[in-house]
Amino acid sequence: MGSSTSLVPKSVTAAINAHGFGYFGCPHTFGQVGYRLKRTEQYIRVKPDNSSVVTDGVKHSMNPFCEIAVEEAVKLKEKKLIKEVVAVSCGPQQVQETIRTALAMGADRGIHVEVTGKDYETLGPLQVSKIMAALAKKEEAQLVILGKQAIDDDCNQTGQMTAALLDWPQGTFASELSLEGDKIKVVREIDGGLETIKINTPAVVTADLRLNTPRYATLPNIMKAKKKKIANVKPADLGVDITSRLEVLRVDEPPQRQAGMKVETVDDLVGKLKEAGMV
Amino acid sequence: PQLTLSSSVNSPIRVPGCRGLSQLAELPDTHQLLRQTCRDYADRELNPIAARLDKEHSYPAKQIQELGAMGVMAIEVPEELGGAGMDYLAYSLAMEEISRGCASTGVVVSVNNSLYIGPILKFGSEEQKQQWITPFTTGEKVGCFALSEPGNGSDAGAASTTARQDGDEWVLNGTKAWITNSWDASATVVFATTDKKLKHKGISAFLVPMPHPGLSLGKKEDKLGIKASSTANIILEDCRVPLGNMLGPRGAGFKIAMQTLDSGRIGIAAQALGIAQASLDCAADYAHKRTAFGSPIGKLQAIQFKLADMAVAIESARLLTWKASLLRDAKKPFTKEAAMAKLAASEAATFCSHQAIQVLGGMGYVADMPAERHYRDARITEIYEGTSEIQRLVIAGQLLKEYQS
């Protein structure tokens, strides 16, 4: 309801943990909640100088694929297959809200990696995956779960880069996840259908849409989340250099959809297509 | 003669011993998260089905169960009894967001929380709480509150439903009217008199399971709004319950009812806020899109004034509702504030939904847009749980007491 679109703060969460597995992370990024896309014509606006999108005053919320990642982690914990779930997010003060939501869904503790201002604007998958890799090592995580991509930039890179930096196996686009001994079986959604792989732990998994249906936080858990700890770290504390290697030259809105035209006969249609240089 | 004001008249918004003005300006983190969670639920699960529920008069059983799982059906109930263990401010926030998605679902939630669980939590024995509250926290079972009768609504003291003792049982006889949730409930709090001569002091409260021999339901009322919640008469014909089913002391029924309604008013105020806010959302959205005379109608002063008036009505009623909740949470007297909240919010709901239709013009009159449903849903908020006229009497009564020297 309401007129503002929903954007998500750029951040990544990683989970880590003892005995077995820990985990999850969700990249948060700017994007629109699917519901709004369907219902309204209000889109994210590009700044007048075409440098980026307007984020001031726009509501942010957890990236949907991240919600799925959190849910999967909490489910694993409920099945007693993992001991602890840690939620990680990178960004300014506001991401604490998102971490709290994860805590209310059942994560045990949070880590807020503080990135603000210009650094935050240029924070991309490479920087985030470096942070995730550093944290995964520091916390001795056995499993890192992230959303497959963030709905603002649609990069679909952070999970893969994190695995590469750690030299860990990766199970991306997971629509099913199960633990078999010290291996993880992942059913992946691929272009041709479904692919099942078994990977060693420690590993990185990225969550796809059909992995699960995220729960709503229950009121008692919202109360309990208040007492759970969120630690604060800076990228420098982890020895990570977050300077961007990319420079965004320009952001433009998609072209306005033009009206179509009706033609009387097939010949007319072919004629118009030829005129437009399409055939 | 000089008018002397008692100290409470000048009492600041700051409520000693609790959180105070800052809470009205910015909610605590937990409450913000709760509000967002309920809003997300309402947007995703209630809003898309509200029109269908209204059209088909169908009870949202699945949604009530989901809300139960979230803890919304028993917000104030302590965790040991199966509830969410939160406060009335949380309840007001949850109620507003739920009602913004679907007003019918909102009233089911409100009646369960305030009118059914409320009195049992306050006046019930430990055993009664276990038996009559815990199963009603999950959304699988809901309760109802049977006070009004065909012969008396506002005049609650004139109850004619009787309870007579027969051995180790109470035998109840009479008819209760306008009972929300009746067709979907598994238990009810019934008010009956054991001695008509004592007038309102002869009324007691009883817990009756549903279904139960001797208890039958009248036809479902075909209402103007909140159609997805069932409303019907409850008919008691030699309905027998054990002596242990009396709630609270004998003769305390009227007091129990009045105190219960004080809190229930906060819930209904929140429901009205949800309806009012949904109307404003609808109108403001339309004002951006609809063009007339070459521009969006939101550029026209006539429309702007309407939207501004709607926003002011809602925000003031909302602050009153939060204040009443904060007072109750701090265990301070809140009767006057609760009545003010309910009065302000229900009148805001009828005003906003009326103006929303006006902003939408012809589109406001058809079922394609939710404005007409909000208009129909809003109307009852000025009537149930104390009519606007009764609220004025309550407020005036409290006010005049404050001015007494």
Side-chain angles (χ1 to χ4, degrees):
Chain A
M1 287 303 223
S3 55
S4 64
T5 53
S6 257
L7 294 195
V8 176
K10 203 171 204 97
S11 56
V12 168
T13 59
I16 322 156
N17 186 25
H19 165 323
F21 314 83
Y23 78 168
F24 84 86
C26 28
H28 293 230
T29 56
F30 303 111
Q32 279 184 321
V33 174
Y35 177 87
R36 287 208 204 288
L37 266 170
K38 277 192 278 188
R39 294 292 297 272
T40 74
E41 286 168 22
Q42 282 184 305
Y43 292 102
I44 307 176
R45 296 218 152 29
V46 174
K47 284 187 185 162
D49 63 359
N50 292 96
S51 60
S52 62
V53 296
V54 176
T55 57
D56 273 349
V58 184
K59 186 177 157 301
H60 287 54
S61 57
M62 194 188 294
N63 183 42
F65 294 109
C66 297
E67 283 181 1
I68 298 173
V70 176
E71 174 65 23
E72 196 61 21
V74 173
K75 275 167 69 172
L76 286 172
K77 183 172 155 207
E78 286 173 344
K79 288 188 201 152
K80 302 207 197 295
L81 295 169
I82 62 169
K83 217 165 93 172
E84 192 191 29
V85 175
V86 181
V88 173
S89 197
C90 307
Q93 190 62 20
Q94 293 88 304
V95 306
Q96 294 218 1
E97 238 178 80
T98 317
I99 300 179
R100 287 242 174 262
T101 308
L103 293 175
M105 284 171 75
D108 296 298
R109 59 186 167 91
I111 299 180
H112 172 204
V113 181
E114 249 188 85
V115 180
T116 55
K118 251 290 154 238
D119 285 337
Y120 184 56
E121 282 174 38
T122 57
L123 194 71
L126 181 58
Q127 292 75 27
V128 170
S129 50
K130 284 185 191 172
I131 294 172
M132 291 295 290
L135 275 171
K137 280 202 210 115
K138 178 157 176 271
E139 298 271 345
E140 291 175 355
Q142 292 280 40
L143 175 61
V144 174
I145 308 184
L146 303 94
K148 71 169 179 180
Q149 69 198 52
I151 62 175
D152 59 1
D153 55 22
D154 280 338
C155 283
N156 194 334
Q157 295 169 4
T158 309
Q160 292 87 335
M161 284 178 171
T162 307
L165 287 168
L166 287 165
D167 198 21
W168 286 6
Q170 56 185 261
T172 53
F173 308 102
S175 65
E176 241 183 83
L177 179 66
S178 53
L179 305 185
E180 299 189 352
D182 58 352
K183 294 203 200 295
I184 306 181
K185 187 170 96 172
V186 181
V187 176
R188 308 179 56 232
E189 299 203 4
I190 60 174
D191 286 347
L194 296 172
E195 176 193 62
T196 307
I197 60 171
K198 246 192 214 173
I199 54 180
N200 293 329
T201 55
V204 173
V205 170
T206 70
D208 209 324
L209 191 63
R210 279 156 282 271
L211 183 56
N212 60 49
T213 306
R215 66 192 62 192
Y216 290 96
T218 65
L219 272 50
N221 281 342
I222 290 176
M223 289 296 280
K224 291 195 184 107
K226 207 166 50 164
K227 302 194 191 94
K228 295 180 183 175
K229 292 214 178 334
I230 301 180
N232 267 316
V233 298
K234 295 203 168 49
D237 301 337
L238 300 168
V240 171
D241 169 21
I242 56 169
T243 3
S244 177
R245 308 286 214 268
L246 297 175
E247 185 196 333
V248 173
L249 297 176
R250 220 186 133 82
V251 177
D252 286 298
E253 291 190 9
Q256 287 272 20
R257 197 184 158 136
Q258 300 297 324
M261 67 174 97
K262 279 185 174 162
V263 293
E264 295 292 313
T265 68
V266 173
D267 287 332
D268 284 346
L269 175 61
V270 174
K272 293 259 183 251
L273 288 172
K274 279 190 174 157
E275 264 174 47
M278 291 183 177
V279 291
Chain B
Q2 285 232 307
L3 263 183
T4 51
L5 303 182
S6 78
S7 59
S8 63
V9 173
N10 289 318
S11 67
I13 295 181
R14 174 156 185 74
V15 179
C18 98
R19 296 162 288 189
L21 180 57
S22 58
Q23 297 267 287
L24 294 179
E26 188 171 307
L27 297 167
D29 285 340
T30 39
H31 290 69
Q32 286 192 35
L33 185 50
L34 161 76
R35 194 184 199 191
Q36 190 58 50
T37 303
C38 290
R39 182 171 297 192
D40 287 341
Y41 184 83
D43 280 348
R44 295 177 200 166
E45 312 285 345
L46 295 176
N47 191 46
I49 61 170
R52 178 178 62 80
L53 291 178
D54 171 73
K55 186 160 185 201
E56 297 174 0
H57 299 221
S58 56
Y59 176 73
K62 175 164 173 279
Q63 288 68 33
I64 292 297
Q65 291 227 7
E66 289 170 352
L67 287 167
M70 286 163 71
V72 171
M73 294 304 284
I75 295 182
E76 205 196 10
V77 174
E79 281 192 69
E80 314 86 73
L81 287 170
M86 293 186 88
D87 54 25
Y88 243 61
L89 180 61
Y91 171 56
S92 310
L93 295 166
M95 270 302 301
E96 184 185 336
E97 298 303 330
I98 301 293
S99 302
R100 189 176 175 192
C102 174
S104 301
T105 308
V107 77
V108 175
V109 173
S110 182
V111 167
N112 198 58
N113 268 283
S114 296
L115 299 189
Y116 172 71
I117 289 180
I120 307 174
L121 199 55
K122 192 151 180 210
F123 298 97
S125 66
E126 280 316 306
E127 214 176 74
Q128 283 174 330
K129 288 182 200 176
Q130 302 262 359
Q131 191 189 343
W132 299 91
I133 293 184
T134 306
F136 292 77
T137 58
T138 60
E140 273 193 46
K141 295 190 182 191
V142 298
C144 60
F145 178 84
L147 175 66
S148 292
E149 297 173 355
N152 55 272
S154 294
D155 190 7
S160 63
T161 303
T162 56
R164 113 188 111 79
Q165 189 170 349
D166 180 24
D168 57 355
E169 287 180 321
W170 288 108
V171 184
L172 305 170
N173 274 288
T175 308
K176 293 294 184 182
W178 310 121
I179 310 308
T180 303
N181 285 351
S182 43
W183 275 77
D184 308 293
S186 301
T188 176
V189 177
V190 179
F191 294 85
T193 180
T194 49
D195 188 347
K196 283 214 179 116
K197 283 199 265 29
L198 294 176
K199 301 213 187 131
H200 66 272
K201 295 212 174 105
I203 301 174
S204 303
F206 300 88
L207 297 163
V208 183
M210 292 164 79
H212 195 68
L215 186 152
S216 57
L217 297 173
K219 70 162 174 47
K220 277 195 209 180
E221 303 290 352
D222 185 9
K223 307 188 294 292
L224 176 65
I226 55 165
K227 295 191 183 191
S229 81
S230 57
T231 308
N233 284 4
I234 290 182
I235 301 135
L236 301 157
E237 292 166 304
D238 282 346
C239 178
R240 292 171 172 270
V241 293
L243 288 182
N245 282 32
M246 177 176 276
L247 178 68
R250 181 168 174 154
F254 186 77
K255 186 183 85 157
I256 293 175
M258 293 303 109
Q259 287 192 21
T260 301
L261 288 169
D262 269 353
S263 298
R265 263 153 215 171
I266 296 177
I268 296 304
Q271 182 202 23
L273 287 175
I275 299 171
Q277 186 65 51
S279 304
L280 176 56
D281 293 343
C282 181
D285 189 55
Y286 194 78
H288 270 306
K289 295 182 185 147
R290 173 70 175 179
T291 54
F293 306 104
S295 311
I297 60 174
K299 298 243 188 270
L300 301 167
Q301 282 189 345
I303 301 297
Q304 289 178 356
F305 286 2
K306 285 187 199 302
L307 296 175
D309 288 341
M310 287 161 81
V312 169
I314 296 173
E315 195 61 31
S316 7
R318 184 177 287 137
L319 288 172
L320 270 171
T321 307
W322 290 4
K323 184 176 176 187
S325 305
L326 288 171
L327 285 170
R328 186 187 186 282
D329 289 337
K331 305 208 193 306
K332 305 283 179 189
F334 66 98
T335 302
K336 181 183 77 163
E337 287 76 7
M340 292 170 93
K342 201 263 188 187
L343 177 63
S346 54
E347 293 192 343
T350 48
F351 171 72
C352 290
S353 54
H354 183 112
Q355 292 303 323
I357 293 187
Q358 200 64 17
V359 170
L360 266 57
M363 280 310 285
Y365 205 62
V366 294
D368 302 45
M369 295 290 274
E372 60 84 28
R373 188 181 78 243
H374 299 323
Y375 185 74
R376 291 184 286 103
D377 286 342
R379 196 58 191 85
I380 190 63
T381 62
E382 286 200 50
I383 298 172
Y384 62 14
E385 289 199 41
T387 58
S388 296
E389 291 70 30
I390 290 291
Q391 303 305 336
R392 289 182 164 89
L393 290 181
V394 170
I395 296 167
Q398 295 289 322
L399 202 57
L400 288 168
K401 257 193 253 171
E402 289 167 17
Y403 280 84
Q404 246 163 1
S405 44

